């Protein structure tokens, strides 16, 4: 049964959702009746069927009065809220009613058309008078300017902003306004305090800065409405008083008519709750150290087949709690740095204790969401869940798999009956995306369907993407092909806006290069034997990549050109999906977190790709010729990106009403609402695309922005500092710059330079014009040497078979080369390093010479059959270095001696069940054992590498020995 408090919160939100649009809504009593009926159906997911709606309507019809009509309207009100605010999917007949609601909203806006025209003309006159005479600043004028130049928000939001001097932030060198989502719902720990960003024009930014300096008393919504009514009743407006919703409809009509904003984007601009912004992550100060470890295996890994869910070997978080128990909180951070600088390793059989360790570490170091420092009792409360977690182990392999991780979390969550304990587990689960291993965890499945959808907002800039790509190619501790596969995974995730599973399951046959344009690709995202798409349907994604990026993708396709069409694009032949997740996606996640912060996930590449795709579509729609995020000709780049739709036609010849549907289809979304809420973070990027400052900045406005008196000649000193090439600042009274172009100059002036910078200026990345740049970077960190020193053990050498020579051989016409390489990789321990210690080399030398038959790819040696040689044989040949060889033993036994003892020695120290053993008796000579190693992969180059590694100082020659 739904609680009274929760019921009250939901009905408040439904009423508020309609009030913000100025639409009628039934009272709380009738809404609560509908919510109760919905809750009885046990809706755990955000969708409702036509049959379920029919059941509710039948229940309403049992009421023998006109109350039926009221409850029917309450049902429509509730379904509208659930669809628009909570992301519910409704049946088609109900969607048509939502269109009627949208139409009713537009009709209310159109009713204000006459007053909106007078308001806009009056504002232009009022603005001009203000700039020339600088009268005392009135809150009514500030509100009008914000509503016309920033966004047509409800007055409740403007009242909140006018009370917050910290609302202005400099975000990525853009003047922005931070707007917090408003709700009458009581404080809910499951719902984050979301906010969004709006773009400020230089004029409105200066107005707000001046207003905050007046130190007026706190503004209420009602007080703001009264003062706005008073201000607009006088010259030059002469408008009658209006309600809150009528004033918003009036401003919305201005945006609809004067700025020609589509109704969908108008709703986005008017409702902050429709999009969520994020706090930017500056590049990490110690990224040089952490980025070098992205290819390291930080888990204890036996053979994959031995992974099991054994019980935990301890809970290391208890050591953290014990260490701080009797220490003042001021010493906690220093204590963590001193005694707990090295975290515990991930155990393959159960990583839950390690996750809880990191969770506890963060709580101690950073506190909770509301309190910067938590008490020891609070820490104990949050972490005592280990008693519950001990019954739900999670293997490393299961954690890396999205479905496996979600199944584990669901089982854990449903095993708890107490609401209090469920919240503690929910709080723990929210931490999972902070870790590389579990970054793909989706917390939204554990929140109430009557709450708005949770979202993890973040996106990378193009510069950040390129820096991450370089980091993946630059590291020397990853093998050559691993680094290449990781780089392509990053490319597909960013440019293709693909999900993790879609990148992993992409097969060779699912990516096609356009024969007429080598930078254009078509991706087929479909169900495969390894898993299904999110909506179980097939879609095609069309890419046009920069030349240097496209070359890396073509290299992978070329390497695997002879593989079966169903072979996954990334990885070796027959490599499991689990292995591909661990070694081609996990390093990408580690790189993202090391460079841009722990809250960054692989899925944010999809967010970024969706954002750039939307921007490119809007650039075409608004007919822009230049853009800060496009390389070269912006218009041409956007046309190339959307060529699959334009097919060579100009955008003006297309039905622009389909643009959002085309973009949503590329992302696999049924509705634009999903794209907007989950991927298009903030709204500060939208107004600069259509609010082009065609009138420029006249001198009187520049004087106000610079804080100098009207008619002051100092303005020309400022104009002379500008470096615009195509204007004569001495003879023109209008500065032809956009607001974004003018902002860097204003930031050096009084007032503006005091603004809070929330995003550090990142290093700019110059996109290489050379198409071979990234390919050359990858190859430059591939070595020619087969023998490489082990950085962890100086006396150990590593067998580096992925040399430049091998990579070049993949470009030959040999159809079996990649298959042989895959077989070699699988037999030699997959991604485990192949090494030889100094002691092993000494033992190899003591066994005697090894003879090489290059034609038949055979190694052979003859030793005496005794225990010492058997131990040396095991030390050398029973390692990963020789797993790709078949062993054959031939015992030459003197017929005068007993064979039983030697056979026992062979069985104990030399052979296994997989080996071949033959015996031969001789009349003369001592007994001896000949060991023959037949190289299994059919590759002369790999066999030659093995020989060269065994004796690096001299090459192996046919029928010659290695010593």
């Amino acid at each position: 049964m739904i609680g009274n408090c929760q019921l009250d919160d939901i009905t408040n939100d439904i009423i508020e959702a309609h009030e913000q649009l100025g639409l009628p809504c039934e009272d709380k009593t009738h809404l609560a009746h509908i919510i109760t009926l919905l809750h009885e159906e046990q809706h755990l997911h955000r969708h409702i069927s036509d049959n379920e709606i029919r059941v509710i309507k039948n229940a309403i019809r049992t009421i023998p009065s006109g109350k039926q009509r009221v409850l029917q309207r309450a049902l429509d009100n509730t379904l509208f809220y659930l669809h628009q605010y909570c992301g519910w999917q409704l049946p088609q007949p109900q969607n048509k009613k939502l269109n009627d609601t949208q139409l009713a909203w537009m009709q209310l806006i159109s009713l204000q058309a006459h007053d909106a025209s007078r308001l806009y003309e009056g504002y232009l006159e009022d603005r001009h008078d203000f700039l020339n005479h600088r009268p005392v600043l009135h809150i009514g004028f500030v509100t009008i300017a914000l509503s016309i130049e920033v966004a047509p928000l409800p007055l409740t939001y403007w009242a909140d902003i006018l009370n917050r001097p910290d609302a202005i932030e400099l975000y990525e060198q853009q003047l922005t306004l931070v707007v917090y989502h408003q709700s009458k719902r009581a404080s809910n720990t499951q719902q984050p305090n979301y906010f969004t960003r709006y773009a400020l024009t230089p004029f409105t930014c200066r107005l707000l800065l001046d207003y905050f300096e007046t130190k007026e008393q706190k503004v209420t919504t009602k007080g703001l409405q009264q003062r706005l009514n008073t201000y607009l009743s006088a010259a030059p407006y002469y408008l009658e008083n209006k309600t809150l919703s009528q004033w918003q409809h009036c401003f919305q009509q201005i945006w609809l008519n004067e700025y020609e904003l589509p109704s969908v984007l108008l709703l986005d601009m008017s409702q902050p709750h429709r999009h969520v912004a994020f706090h930017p992550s500056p590049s990490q100060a110690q990224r040089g150290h952490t980025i070098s470890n992205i290819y390291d295996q930080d888990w204890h890994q036996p053979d994959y087949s031995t992974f099991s869910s054994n019980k935990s070997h301890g809970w290391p978080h208890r050591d953290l709690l014990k260490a701080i128990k009797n220490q003042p909180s001021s010493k906690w951070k220093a204590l963590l740095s001193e005694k707990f600088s090295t975290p515990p390793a991930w155990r393959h059989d159960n990583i839950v204790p390690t996750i809880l360790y990191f969770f506890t570490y963060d709580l101690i170091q950073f506190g909770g969401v509301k309190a910067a420092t938590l008490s020891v009792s609070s820490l104990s409360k949050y972490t005592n869940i280990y008693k519950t977690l001990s019954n739900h182990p999670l293997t490393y392999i299961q954690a890396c798999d999205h479905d496996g991780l979600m199944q584990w979390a669901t089982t854990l969550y449903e095993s708890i009956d107490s609401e209090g304990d469920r919240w503690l587990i929910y709080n723990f689960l929210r931490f999972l995306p902070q870790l590389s291993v579990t970054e793909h965890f989706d917390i939204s499945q554990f929140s109430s369907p009557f709450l708005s959808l949770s979202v993890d907002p973040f996106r990378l800039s193009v510069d950040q993407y390129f820096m991450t790509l370089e980091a993946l190619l630059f590291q020397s501790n990853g093998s050559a092909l691993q680094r290449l596969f990781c780089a392509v995974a990053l490319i597909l995730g960013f440019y293709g806006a693909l999900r993790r599973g879609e990148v992993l399951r992409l097969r060779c046959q699912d990516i096609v290069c356009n024969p007429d344009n080598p930078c254009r690709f078509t991706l087929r995202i479909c169900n495969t034997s390894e898993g299904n798409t999110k909506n179980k349907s097939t879609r095609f994604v069309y890419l046009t990549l920069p030349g240097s990026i496209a070359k890396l993708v073509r290299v992978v396709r070329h390497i695997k050109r002879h593989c079966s069409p169903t072979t996954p694009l990334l990885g070796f032949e027959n490599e499991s999906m689990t292995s591909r997740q661990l070694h081609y996606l996990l390093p990408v996640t580690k790189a993202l977190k090391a460079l841009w912060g722990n809250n960054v996930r692989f899925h944010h590449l999809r967010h970024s790709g969706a954002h750039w795709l939307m921007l490119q579509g809007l650039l075409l729609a608004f007919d822009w010729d230049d853009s800060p995020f496009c390389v070269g000709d912006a218009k041409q780049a956007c046309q190339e990106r959307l060529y699959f739709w334009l097919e060579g036609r100009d955008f003006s010849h297309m039905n622009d009403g389909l643009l959002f549907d085309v973009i949503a289809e590329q992302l696999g979304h049924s509705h634009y609402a999903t794209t907007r809420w989950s991927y298009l973070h903030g709204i500060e990027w939208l107004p600069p695309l259509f609010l082009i400052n065609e009138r420029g900045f006249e001198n009187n406005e520049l004087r106000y922005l610079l804080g100098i008196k009207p008619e002051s000649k100092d303005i020309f000193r400022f104009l002379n500092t500008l470096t615009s090439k195509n204007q004569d600042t001495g003879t023109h009274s209008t500065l032809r710059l956009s607001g974004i172009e003018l902002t860097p100059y204003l930031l050096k002036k009084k007032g503006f330079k005091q603004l809070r910078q929330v995003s550090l200026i990142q290093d700019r990345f110059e996109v290489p014009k050379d198409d071979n740049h990234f390919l050359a970077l990858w190859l430059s960190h591939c070595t020619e040497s087969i023998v490489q020193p082990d950085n962890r053990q100086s006396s150990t050498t590593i067998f580096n078979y992925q040399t430049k020579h091998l990579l070049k051989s993949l470009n030959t016409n040999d159809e079996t080369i990649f298959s042989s390489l895959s077989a070699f990789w699988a037999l030699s321990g997959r991604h485990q390093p192949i090494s030889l210690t100094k002691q092993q080399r000494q033992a190899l030398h003591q066994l005697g010479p090894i003879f090489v038959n290059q034609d038949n790819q055979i190694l052979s040696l003859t030793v005496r059959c005794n225990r010492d040689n058997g131990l040396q044989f095991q030390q050398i040949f029973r390692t990963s270095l020789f797993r790709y060889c078949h062993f054959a033993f031939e015992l030459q036994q003197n017929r005068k001696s007993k064979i039983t003892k030697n056979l026992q020695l062979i069985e104990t120290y030399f052979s296994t069940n997989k080996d071949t053993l033959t015996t031969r008796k001789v009349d003369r000579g001592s007994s001896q054992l000949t060991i023959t190693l037949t190289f299994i992969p059919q590759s002369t180059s790999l066999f030659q590498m093995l020989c060269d590694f065994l004796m690096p100082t001299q090459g192996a020659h046919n029928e010659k020995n290695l010593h």
Side-chain angles (χ1 to χ4, degrees):
M1 184 66 184
I2 189 169
N4 290 332
C5 281
Q6 187 181 4
L7 190 62
D8 192 55
D9 288 342
I10 297 172
T11 54
N12 280 336
D13 281 352
I14 296 173
I15 294 172
E16 183 182 21
H18 285 77
E19 285 178 348
Q20 289 183 352
L21 293 175
L23 297 172
C25 185
E26 296 303 323
D27 60 33
K28 296 177 65 172
T29 303
H30 300 114
L31 293 173
H33 185 84
I34 298 298
I35 294 295
T36 303
L37 290 176
L38 281 170
H39 196 269
E40 288 176 355
E41 297 294 325
Q42 295 295 319
H43 280 285
L44 299 178
H45 303 288
R46 298 172 189 264
H47 60 77
I48 186 170
S49 66
D50 202 18
N51 185 59
E52 289 170 326
I53 293 180
R54 192 178 300 112
V55 170
I56 295 175
K57 288 182 176 179
N58 289 337
I60 293 174
R61 291 191 187 100
T62 61
I63 300 174
S65 70
K67 187 178 179 181
Q68 286 187 21
R69 292 189 298 275
V70 179
L71 289 176
Q72 180 61 54
R73 290 194 297 268
L75 175 61
D76 292 339
N77 294 151
T78 303
L79 292 178
F80 170 78
Y81 166 77
L82 294 176
H83 179 268
Q84 291 288 318
Y85 289 71
C86 302
W88 281 44
Q89 296 179 15
L90 306 183
Q92 190 60 34
Q94 194 64 38
N95 282 329
K96 292 181 180 179
K97 289 192 175 182
L98 296 182
N99 293 334
D100 294 339
T101 304
Q102 186 94 349
L103 180 61
W105 172 65
M106 292 299 295
Q107 288 175 337
L108 290 173
I109 292 176
S110 65
L111 293 176
Q112 302 296 328
H114 179 265
D115 286 355
S117 178
R118 290 174 56 186
L119 174 57
Y120 185 67
E121 292 176 0
Y123 170 69
L124 295 181
E125 182 182 343
D126 198 5
R127 187 180 192 272
H128 185 265
D129 181 73
F130 175 83
L131 293 173
N132 285 330
H133 302 100
R134 310 280 179 85
V136 176
L137 197 58
H138 192 283
I139 191 173
F141 177 70
V142 176
T143 306
I144 297 169
L146 292 171
S147 298
I148 292 179
E149 295 196 21
V150 178
L153 302 182
L155 291 185
T156 54
Y157 281 97
W158 289 132
D160 174 63
I161 289 167
L162 292 172
N163 290 321
R164 290 193 295 110
D166 61 346
I168 304 175
E169 289 184 348
L170 187 60
Y171 172 70
E172 294 183 350
Q173 299 303 101
Q174 185 180 4
L175 302 171
T176 66
L177 194 64
V178 174
V179 180
Y180 287 99
H181 293 191
Q182 293 183 3
S183 174
K184 295 177 182 177
R185 181 183 293 264
S187 178
N188 191 308
T189 53
Q190 287 193 18
Q191 200 70 10
N193 188 20
Y194 289 136
F195 71 96
T196 190
R197 295 183 192 278
Y198 282 84
L200 281 174
T201 61
F203 176 70
T204 53
C205 182
R206 186 76 200 198
L207 270 184
L208 275 178
L209 291 172
D210 288 349
Y211 173 79
F212 290 137
E213 288 183 358
T214 63
K215 299 180 180 178
E216 283 206 17
Q217 294 181 349
K218 184 176 180 179
V219 182
T220 63
T221 302
K222 185 176 181 180
L224 182 61
Q225 179 191 5
Q226 291 173 347
R227 299 183 71 176
L228 187 63
N229 281 331
T230 301
Y231 188 80
L232 289 174
S233 64
Y237 303 99
Y238 302 111
L239 295 174
E240 295 180 355
N241 293 349
K242 296 182 185 293
T243 64
L244 293 173
S245 59
Q246 286 174 335
W247 277 128
Q248 188 186 14
H249 292 154
C250 196
F251 290 119
Q252 287 169 336
Q253 176 63 31
I254 292 175
W255 284 70
L256 188 67
N257 185 55
E258 299 294 338
Y259 302 149
E260 299 180 353
L261 197 64
S263 60
V264 175
L265 294 182
L266 176 61
L267 195 57
D268 287 348
M269 290 297 299
S270 306
Q271 302 294 323
H273 68 265
R274 290 170 67 87
H275 31 82
V276 181
F278 58 91
H279 296 289
S281 295
S283 57
Q284 304 297 291
Q286 298 179 345
R287 66 183 185 184
H289 171 69
T290 55
I291 199 69
S292 63
N293 300 325
I294 60 175
Y295 291 109
D296 291 347
Q297 296 185 13
D298 55 1
W299 65 94
H300 295 306
Q301 178 187 352
D303 192 276
Y304 289 136
S305 61
T306 66
F307 274 37
S308 60
S309 300
N310 298 328
K311 289 188 175 181
S312 171
H313 290 257
W315 294 92
H317 79 281
R318 300 178 70 182
D319 296 331
L320 291 170
L321 297 176
K322 184 178 179 181
I324 66 167
K325 185 175 182 180
N326 297 317
Q327 297 291 333
S329 58
S330 59
K331 295 184 178 180
W332 287 0
K333 291 185 179 181
L335 194 63
L336 291 178
S337 301
E338 180 183 349
K339 294 187 176 181
F340 299 95
S341 58
T342 304
W346 298 98
R347 297 193 58 84
H348 69 273
D349 53 359
N350 185 14
I351 67 169
V352 176
T354 307
I355 295 176
L356 190 56
Y357 172 90
F358 283 112
F359 176 64
T360 308
Y361 190 100
D362 267 25
L363 288 177
I364 296 172
Q365 186 174 29
F366 302 110
V369 175
K370 297 181 179 179
T373 303
L374 296 176
S375 64
V376 174
S377 60
S378 295
L379 291 169
S380 298
K381 174 185 174 182
Y382 288 131
T383 58
N384 264 344
I385 55 174
Y386 78 93
K387 297 175 182 178
T388 302
L389 295 173
S390 61
N391 298 320
H392 298 274
L394 175 67
T395 68
Y396 198 102
I397 295 300
Q398 187 181 5
C400 289
D401 177 68
H402 177 266
D403 293 337
L405 178 61
M406 297 309 299
Q407 181 59 51
W408 169 83
T410 302
T411 304
L412 168 65
Y413 193 75
E414 292 179 350
S415 68
I416 305 168
D417 297 326
S418 166
E419 284 298 321
D421 291 341
R422 277 200 169 193
W423 183 87
L424 291 173
I425 291 295
Y426 176 87
N427 192 48
F428 169 72
L429 294 177
R430 286 197 303 174
F431 178 74
L432 297 184
Q434 302 294 314
L435 303 173
S436 300
V437 185
T438 52
E439 56 94 24
H440 48 278
F441 180 76
D442 182 9
I443 190 62
S444 64
Q445 296 188 21
F446 299 91
S447 59
S448 168
F450 294 99
L451 290 172
S452 61
L453 277 168
S454 61
V455 62
D456 182 13
F458 190 83
R459 65 172 175 266
L460 280 79
S461 67
V462 175
D463 294 319
Q464 290 173 320
Y465 154 76
F466 276 113
M467 292 177 193
T468 308
L469 180 62
E470 278 207 336
L472 289 170
L473 295 171
F474 194 83
Q475 307 310 311
S476 57
N477 57 338
S479 65
L481 290 178
Q482 183 186 16
R483 290 187 289 112
L484 178 62
F485 292 147
C486 286
V488 172
L490 178 78
I491 292 169
L492 295 175
F494 184 83
Y495 283 101
L498 302 186
R499 300 179 177 93
R500 283 172 52 94
E502 293 170 350
V503 173
L504 279 173
R505 294 192 301 271
L506 198 68
R507 302 165 299 181
C508 292
Q509 67 181 16
D510 295 331
I511 178 169
V512 179
C513 182
N514 190 307
D516 299 325
N517 186 340
C519 295
R520 196 177 294 159
F521 299 86
T522 300
L523 308 181
R524 180 172 180 260
I525 311 301
C526 60
N527 301 332
T528 72
S529 59
E530 293 184 314
N532 298 327
T533 60
K534 190 170 184 179
N535 57 7
K536 306 295 189 297
S537 61
T538 298
R539 78 178 192 276
F540 291 90
V541 176
Y542 303 92
L543 303 180
T544 301
L545 305 178
S548 56
I549 301 298
K551 194 136 194 175
L552 292 177
V553 179
R554 293 202 307 273
V555 166
V556 173
R557 290 186 70 254
H558 187 73
I559 285 174
K560 309 188 79 170
R561 64 195 181 281
H562 297 304
C563 295
S564 166
T566 58
T567 302
L569 179 69
L570 303 180
F572 295 92
E573 290 183 352
N574 302 315
E575 184 173 3
S576 69
M577 189 171 181
T578 296
S579 176
R580 302 199 306 272
Q581 287 185 86
L582 287 174
H583 298 98
Y584 311 133
L585 293 195
L586 186 56
V588 177
T589 298
K590 288 181 177 179
L592 292 172
K593 289 184 179 294
L595 290 173
W596 316 117
N598 284 332
N599 62 321
V600 185
R601 305 188 290 130
F602 188 95
H603 192 72
H604 288 135
L605 296 173
R606 176 168 162 83
H607 292 213
S608 309
H611 177 72
W612 303 132
L613 179 59
M614 175 61 75
L615 280 181
Q616 288 174 315
L618 291 176
L619 282 171
L620 288 178
F622 294 119
D623 197 26
W624 268 63
D625 293 325
D626 194 15
S627 170
F629 63 87
C630 289
V631 181
D633 188 338
K635 194 168 186 177
Q636 181 181 356
C638 296
Q639 287 174 336
E640 281 288 334
R641 181 67 180 87
L642 293 167
Y643 181 85
F644 67 92
W645 183 44
L646 300 176
E647 295 181 340
R649 294 167 292 189
D650 191 80
F651 186 86
S652 60
H653 298 160
M654 308 300 293
N655 180 357
D656 55 10
L658 298 176
L659 177 62
F660 291 162
D661 293 331
V662 169
I663 290 174
E665 185 179 359
Q666 286 290 286
L667 300 172
H669 295 156
S670 301
H671 307 285
Y672 164 69
T674 305
T675 308
R676 183 205 71 238
W677 171 256
S678 298
Y679 296 95
L680 305 180
H681 308 309
I683 203 72
E684 77 284 346
W685 48 270
L686 181 59
L689 293 179
F690 62 87
L691 293 181
I692 302 173
N693 189 6
E694 294 179 349
R695 66 177 183 271
F697 292 90
E698 295 183 355
N699 287 350
N700 60 350
E701 183 174 357
L702 287 174
R703 289 187 179 96
Y704 175 65
L705 296 179
L706 298 173
I708 59 179
K709 296 180 179 180
E711 307 302 330
S712 171
K713 301 297 183 181
D714 287 347
I715 184 65
F716 298 107
R717 187 185 309 166
F718 173 73
L719 291 174
N720 290 332
T721 63
L722 303 183
T723 57
S724 181
K725 297 180 180 179
N726 300 319
Q727 62 183 0
D728 183 357
T729 57
T731 59
H732 291 80
S733 61
T734 301
L735 180 64
R736 296 296 178 185
L737 286 180
S738 68
I740 291 181
E741 291 171 329
L742 180 63
T743 297
Y745 301 100
L746 295 177
L747 294 178
K748 302 174 184 178
K749 302 302 178 180
K750 182 181 178 181
F752 289 97
K753 66 180 179 181
Q754 306 300 326
L755 293 177
R756 183 175 58 172
Q757 169 73 264
V758 295
S759 59
L760 298 179
I761 301 176
Q762 304 286 356
D763 298 332
R764 300 292 296 177
F765 187 94
E766 292 295 330
V767 180
K769 297 180 180 179
D770 180 11
D771 287 353
N772 291 318
H773 172 80
F774 289 111
L775 179 63
L777 178 65
W778 171 58
L779 289 174
S780 67
H781 288 81
C782 303
T783 65
E784 296 283 4
S785 175
I786 298 169
V787 181
Q788 284 190 331
D790 189 339
N791 296 329
R792 293 165 297 182
Q793 297 179 344
S794 58
S795 61
T796 302
T797 53
I798 295 177
F799 182 21
N800 173 43
Y801 61 90
Q802 293 184 26
T803 62
K804 286 184 179 180
H805 176 73
L806 178 70
L807 298 176
K808 290 178 181 177
S809 69
L810 294 174
N811 196 36
T812 63
N813 294 325
D814 185 357
E815 296 184 5
T816 64
I817 181 64
F818 192 79
S819 297
S820 299
L821 177 61
S822 297
F824 179 86
W825 165 84
L827 291 168
S828 61
R830 299 178 175 87
H831 291 282
Q832 299 304 307
I834 307 172
S835 60
L836 203 62
T837 65
K838 183 178 180 180
Q839 292 77 12
Q840 287 174 320
R841 287 193 178 277
Q842 291 174 347
L844 182 65
H845 184 79
Q846 292 172 2
L847 283 176
I850 299 177
F851 292 89
V852 181
N853 184 330
Q854 190 74 43
D855 295 335
N856 297 320
Q857 298 186 177
I858 291 175
L859 299 174
S860 62
L861 69 158
T862 301
V863 299
R864 294 182 62 83
C865 187
N866 57 43
R867 179 178 176 274
D868 290 342
N869 286 339
L871 292 173
Q872 289 179 335
F873 174 85
Q874 288 182 345
Q875 184 181 358
I876 304 165
F877 292 98
R878 294 309 181 189
T879 62
S880 58
L881 181 60
F882 293 98
R883 287 179 182 174
Y884 35 74
C885 292
H886 176 264
F887 289 83
F889 298 89
E890 183 186 50
L891 175 62
Q892 178 181 297
Q893 179 73 27
N894 190 301
R895 64 175 63 251
K896 297 180 180 179
S897 59
K898 293 182 179 181
I899 197 173
T900 307
K901 181 180 179 182
N902 286 338
L903 288 176
Q904 186 176 1
L905 286 169
I906 293 172
E907 182 179 348
T908 303
Y909 297 104
F910 291 94
S911 70
T912 66
N913 294 332
K914 297 180 181 180
D915 303 330
T916 303
L917 173 62
T918 59
T919 60
R920 180 167 61 91
K921 292 186 178 182
V922 295
D923 296 327
R924 299 182 183 180
S926 60
S927 299
Q928 58 185 13
L929 180 64
T930 300
I931 307 170
T932 303
L933 287 72
T934 303
F935 195 69
I936 297 174
Q938 297 300 309
S939 173
T940 56
S941 58
L942 287 172
F943 180 71
Q944 182 64 56
M945 288 182 186
L946 173 63
C947 297
D948 293 343
F949 178 70
L950 293 176
M951 186 53 64
T953 58
Q954 63 184 85
H957 301 283
N958 196 41
E959 293 295 350
K960 292 189 177 180
N961 66 68
L962 289 173
H963 295 308

